[in-house]
Amino acid sequence: MRCYLHAYLMCTVFTFFSLLYVYSQLASTLEDRDERSGGGRISDRSSHDAGHALRKRPGLLGLRDKEWGQNRCKSLSVSYWNPYWRPPADDVCGVNFLLESPLGEKLSSATKEPKNDRSQLAVVACGARLEETLTMLKSAVLFSRKPVHFHIFAEDDLHDGFRNALEMWPVAVRTTFTFTIYPITFPEENAIEWKKLFKPCASQRLFLPQILKQVDSLLYVDTDIIFLRPVEDIWGLLSRFNASQLAAMAPEHEEPRIGWYNRFARHPYYGKTGVNSGVMLMNMTRIREKSFKSDMTAVTLQWGEILMPLLQKYKLNITWGDQDLLNIIFHHNPESLYVFPCQWNYRPDHCIYGSNCQQAEEEGVFVLHGNRGVYHNDKQPAFRAVYEAIKQQTFSGSVTRYSTYRRLLRRSIESWQV
């Protein structure tokens, strides 16, 4: 009799908890339905805004953190990788690797930005860099769907070349961008020293926050950059900055065994392998307001105050000029840097010794960086093919449409290689 009673009690308890489970599932279903009808979305949006109220937002936003995070698998966002595409095993620096990511247009359509957003793109050109810089600007226009403003810093004898070339582009193309040309400007007391640091005029980027005082956020790129994604895609990364981050760069190397900074640097550098400043996204309002720590004094210094003392201390130890100074600054202020994946700054280093940029393997290359002069020699044919295809491409009709241009670009590359 006792056994029957025990079994009866167990069944009763089991039935009770089963009913509780069914009730909770029913309540959850009803709650989800209410949220889809409007209530839940308002709650999510308010929490998103509240989280971002802790920081000064970039003047031009991009991706919406909360919405992007919740829908990343549906929206094919930048961080979502496609397991069905891989680069050819024997072609890690090949054309297929650069262009065949199936994300295609879907990635750009997934980046939601305000309708009036205008990306701000800066470049510094000195010496024989006119043609290379114009090719970079052309790639930005061809791939972008939203307007861009170019801040072109150049030596005086290049100003007319830039102005004449840009004004010769078709009217329909010129409506998609605006530009301003500036002279090269360094602090008067050390102008010669700054101009000769590493490459001519390269250190100009260090002074952009002080020169462009009315610009809130800025994307700086070297002249040897080719955009393979719309500029607004990388511009959207500004919205991923947390409350302390004020700049974003990619790692100098992904594989420490072939890294330069961790093997040869004679100065502090960021993280395990340093960062590369060829593509640098900046919230310049924050840079101007930030007080930076350093190993020179216990007192924090503003951006304009820290640059010259750093150069004086490390000028005999630095190899890569202004990039080394940036590494030193962010070594002492790591909380201020957002590190984006290598696919946004894809260089020959990522494929010379085998493929070592996993994100590019999974999603494709978004921004191509032809350092080591690979656009102008035969060491990396795929890099040169992409550069030549864009340089030789003329603006015409549907070419300005992103999807059409990717097809035409590929055909041009294939014909150039033949």
Side-chain angles (χ1 to χ4, degrees):
M1 183 67 182
R2 184 176 299 175
C3 292
Y4 286 115
L5 181 60
H6 182 71
Y8 175 79
L9 290 175
M10 290 293 293
C11 290
T12 302
V13 171
F14 178 80
T15 302
F16 175 76
F17 282 107
S18 297
L19 290 172
L20 282 180
Y21 175 79
V22 171
Y23 177 81
S24 65
Q25 291 299 306
L26 179 60
S28 176
T29 301
L30 293 173
E31 182 178 336
D32 290 343
R33 185 179 301 169
D34 289 339
E35 289 181 353
R36 285 194 294 271
S37 66
R41 299 180 74 176
I42 295 174
S43 174
D44 287 345
R45 187 64 188 166
S46 63
S47 63
H48 167 74
D49 292 340
H52 283 73
L54 297 175
R55 65 177 175 89
K56 178 169 288 188
R57 298 170 67 90
L60 301 175
L61 303 178
L63 300 173
R64 301 294 188 186
D65 302 31
K66 189 77 172 180
E67 294 177 0
W68 176 87
Q70 291 172 341
N71 299 310
R72 56 185 299 184
C73 293
K74 296 179 181 179
S75 66
L76 292 176
S77 58
V78 173
S79 295
Y80 174 66
W81 67 278
N82 190 324
Y84 301 105
W85 178 82
R86 295 289 186 277
D90 58 348
D91 192 26
V92 294
C93 277
V95 175
N96 292 339
F97 186 43
L98 300 177
L99 297 179
E100 286 191 346
S101 169
L103 294 179
E105 291 186 76
K106 294 181 181 180
L107 188 146
S108 292
S109 63
T111 53
K112 301 177 181 178
E113 300 177 74
K115 293 182 179 180
N116 296 324
D117 229 0
R118 182 181 291 270
S119 304
Q120 305 286 322
L121 178 65
V123 64
V124 179
C126 287
R129 297 282 183 170
L130 176 63
E131 183 179 71
E132 188 175 84
T133 307
L134 287 171
T135 303
M136 180 276 292
L137 297 176
K138 184 187 291 185
S139 74
V141 171
L142 287 169
F143 280 93
S144 297
R145 292 191 180 92
K146 296 188 176 182
V148 184
H149 184 81
F150 299 139
H151 300 270
I152 304 170
F153 290 80
E155 291 178 312
D156 293 345
D157 57 352
L158 296 179
H159 287 197
D160 288 342
F162 277 113
R163 186 175 294 105
N164 293 337
L166 294 174
E167 290 178 352
M168 286 179 62
W169 288 0
V171 175
V173 174
R174 296 206 307 269
T175 60
T176 65
F177 72 92
T178 53
F179 68 92
T180 308
I181 300 176
Y182 307 84
I184 300 298
T185 307
F186 294 110
E188 292 183 5
E189 60 273 20
N190 308 103
I192 296 178
E193 191 169 9
W194 283 115
K195 186 171 184 178
K196 293 182 177 180
L197 184 64
F198 185 44
K199 293 181 180 179
C201 307
S203 59
Q204 178 75 89
R205 85 186 85 181
L206 296 176
F207 302 96
L208 296 181
Q210 297 164 274
I211 298 172
L212 302 176
K213 294 181 180 179
Q214 304 304 315
V215 176
D216 176 72
S217 298
L218 187 73
L219 173 62
Y220 167 86
V221 297
D222 286 347
T223 61
D224 52 5
I225 290 297
I226 294 292
F227 289 94
L228 298 177
R229 300 237 37 102
V231 174
E232 58 265 25
D233 283 2
I234 187 170
W235 186 254
L237 298 180
L238 282 167
S239 66
R240 300 192 195 175
F241 286 14
N242 63 26
S244 63
Q245 291 166 339
L246 48 78
M249 289 180 276
E252 173 68 16
H253 285 282
E254 306 300 314
E255 174 51 65
R257 289 176 296 179
I258 61 173
W260 192 93
Y261 282 107
N262 55 295
R263 293 189 297 161
F264 306 116
R266 296 179 294 161
H267 57 78
Y269 55 89
Y270 178 86
K272 294 182 179 180
T273 60
V275 286
N276 184 281
S277 60
V279 180
M280 183 177 180
L281 189 61
M282 295 177 277
N283 182 322
M284 299 207 297
T285 299
R286 292 186 180 184
I287 291 177
R288 288 186 286 263
E289 295 175 352
K290 167 81 173 177
S291 294
F292 293 87
K293 302 183 291 291
S294 69
D295 56 0
M296 299 175 295
T297 174
V299 179
T300 57
L301 301 172
Q302 298 290 111
W303 186 260
E305 300 170 332
I306 199 173
L307 296 176
M308 194 62 207
L310 275 182
L311 178 61
Q312 294 297 336
K313 178 174 181 177
Y314 288 106
K315 62 182 177 181
L316 299 180
N317 296 328
I318 60 178
T319 303
W320 309 114
D322 54 309
Q323 177 174 293
D324 291 345
L325 295 181
L326 290 168
N327 267 279
I328 295 170
I329 290 173
F330 289 110
H331 169 85
H332 296 292
N333 302 270
E335 74 286 351
S336 298
L337 187 66
Y338 176 90
V339 179
F340 50 66
C342 49
Q343 64 198 139
W344 295 104
N345 186 354
Y346 190 87
R347 291 165 283 121
D349 307 71
H350 291 119
C351 57
I352 289 178
Y353 308 106
S355 178
N356 57 70
C357 178
Q358 182 178 352
Q359 291 86 353
E361 293 180 15
E362 296 168 349
E363 298 177 341
V365 175
F366 296 163
V367 177
L368 194 66
H369 187 177
N371 65 337
R372 301 176 180 264
V374 295
Y375 293 154
H376 313 293
N377 58 45
D378 297 322
K379 293 182 179 179
Q380 294 293 337
F383 280 69
R384 185 176 181 183
V386 173
Y387 174 80
E388 291 290 335
I390 292 180
K391 184 183 75 171
Q392 296 172 11
Q393 189 60 250
T394 58
F395 294 101
S396 60
S398 61
V399 174
T400 55
R401 293 290 299 170
Y402 169 71
S403 59
T404 305
Y405 186 71
R406 280 180 69 90
R407 291 193 293 271
L408 292 176
L409 175 61
R410 179 166 182 78
R411 292 174 192 166
S412 299
I413 292 172
E414 291 171 347
S415 63
W416 184 87
Q417 286 182 310
V418 172

